[in-house]
Amino acid sequence: MTKKLDDILASWAAGRNVLLYGPPATGKTRLISELFQLLKQAQQGTSGILLDPNESEKPFSRPSKPLTIPQPVKVVWTTFHQSFSYEDFIIGLRPDITSTGTRLRPWAGLFLDAALELADPDSEYKSVVIFIDEINRGNAARIFGEFMTFLDFDYRKEGRVAIPLPLRQLIYKDGLSEPIFRLGGKEAQIPENFTFPKDIYIVSTMNSVDRAAVPIDSALARRFDRIEMRPSLEVLAQLWSIDRDTIPSSIDDIRDTLSPLLAAYLILDRLNISISSDLGPEFELGHGLLTSIQASETDRGMEQESLEDNIWRGIATAWDDIIFPQLEDRYAGRPEQLIDLLRIETPPLEGEYAWKFRRSVSSALISRTLEPVRTSELNVDVIKRSFRWLAG
């Protein structure tokens, strides 16, 4: 995560926007939300940003190196969705009701308002950072419209080819536009040949798995530095105090003694290798799906065996509610691959196994479909045997 944060700051320093992309639960939104809070609270100075992944409560601190953008920084958060529009992000017309009647007046969206903020001589801010979560859940090309050009810093003020704002929706008189309502209640006017300010930066996230999301077109994507957020076993190893150097290349000899957390660690590793081979790495399962599994403070006084049983059941609950639904979604229309993934045709030689083929109640008919099961409702010995077998 520290490297990802450094990459964001380096992109801003180079005059580039940032797109974090990857499967769900890989820390994209968490990273930018922590960065949002830090920049929101930061005061003008020479402090930079440091991320310590071992500090789960307050992972960010302020080292001596400077930020790469001018301070103070105004931060703006938004999430794109199917109803989010050009009018919300750039400029739109809204009715303004007065004593003399009703007329349509221009209102600035988030992106234009950022430009107006830096053009305001009374503003305290020197730069604006816009955080866009789930950028591909809206029609991003339509939302940005002609302002897609200004994602490229070369066409902004102080750029190599500064281009005036193409706001043909506005009425100009005597070199100034009609008044524009801003988000904070102020009004502003734009002079003719106004160029987009330099110090406006965007950091966004994109889910690489969701089929319902709108793909980012190439013209928009090339204006972002793309930073991949991959599932990280290292995060789980740190969270669960797993020494990866002690894990053998084959677990056959230690399978029956696998701890619940090591089993969960190995399961995620095995599932993601299979998913990557079958579907591609962008469909892997994020480590965040498992970070909720740990011994709670209320469990600390339990006997070791009871504590481990609770963790096993926590793994089973996470499997039922989070992980298996993700697998069903990824392997929709590929039942044989899911059967192989769950090792249904090669179960343990002894004892009950959680996953099996569906059988007819009144005959010997067996279907090559899964018997519905909630593993969290099974006997804990079955849970242990099943997840240890699934681990490798």
Side-chain angles (χ1 to χ4, degrees), residues 1 23-28 30 229-237 239-240 264-265 268 272 284-293 322-323:
M1 295 288 277
T26 51
K28 300 182 297 297
R30 181 175 182 232
M229 299 286 286
R230 296 291 301 277
S232 174
L233 289 173
E234 182 180 354
V235 171
L236 295 181
L239 178 65
W240 295 338
Y265 177 93
L268 183 66
N272 278 343
E284 292 182 23
L285 301 174
H287 54 269
L289 300 178
L290 295 175
T291 52
S292 62
I293 301 171
I322 304 173
I323 300 172

Side-chain angles (χ1 to χ4, degrees), residues 71-230:
Q71 298 180 73
V73 182
K74 181 178 181 179
V75 291
V76 181
W77 181 284
T78 190
T79 301
F80 279 9
H81 51 81
Q82 292 183 350
S83 297
F84 202 85
S85 66
Y86 176 91
E87 289 75 18
D88 298 311
F89 198 64
I90 306 299
I91 190 170
L93 298 175
R94 299 181 187 178
D96 181 32
I97 302 174
T98 67
S99 58
T100 59
T102 301
R103 57 171 293 194
L104 294 177
R105 298 283 301 276
W107 289 72
L110 294 177
F111 201 35
L112 178 59
D113 189 72
L116 298 176
E117 181 68 49
L118 296 188
D120 183 353
D122 297 325
S123 175
E124 64 177 303
Y125 299 109
K126 303 300 182 184
S127 61
V128 179
V129 177
I130 300 176
F131 293 77
I132 304 175
D133 198 21
E134 304 285 1
I135 192 172
N136 59 327
R137 286 194 176 275
N139 189 330
R142 179 175 293 177
I143 291 169
F144 279 95
E146 71 273 30
F147 273 61
M148 186 188 303
T149 300
F150 300 111
L151 290 174
D152 192 326
F153 284 61
D154 284 343
Y155 302 118
R156 300 185 184 185
K157 187 176 182 179
E158 302 179 29
R160 289 186 294 181
V161 187
I163 298 175
L165 290 189
L167 289 173
R168 298 179 181 84
Q169 305 94 321
L170 300 176
I171 299 172
Y172 284 84
K173 183 178 180 181
D174 298 328
L176 288 175
S177 73
E178 61 186 303
I180 304 169
F181 286 109
R182 292 189 51 203
L183 300 179
K186 295 182 179 180
E187 290 188 10
Q189 291 178 283
I190 298 177
E192 288 183 319
N193 298 318
F194 175 77
T195 53
F196 199 84
K198 171 188 174 185
D199 291 306
I200 296 174
Y201 306 88
I202 291 177
V203 57
S204 57
T205 69
M206 182 176 78
N207 184 340
S208 63
V209 174
D210 195 345
R211 298 179 180 89
V214 180
I216 296 291
D217 66 37
S218 58
L220 184 63
R222 70 179 177 82
R223 290 176 163 88
F224 287 84
D225 283 346
R226 296 166 67 94
I227 299 177
E228 186 176 19
M229 299 286 286
R230 296 291 301 277

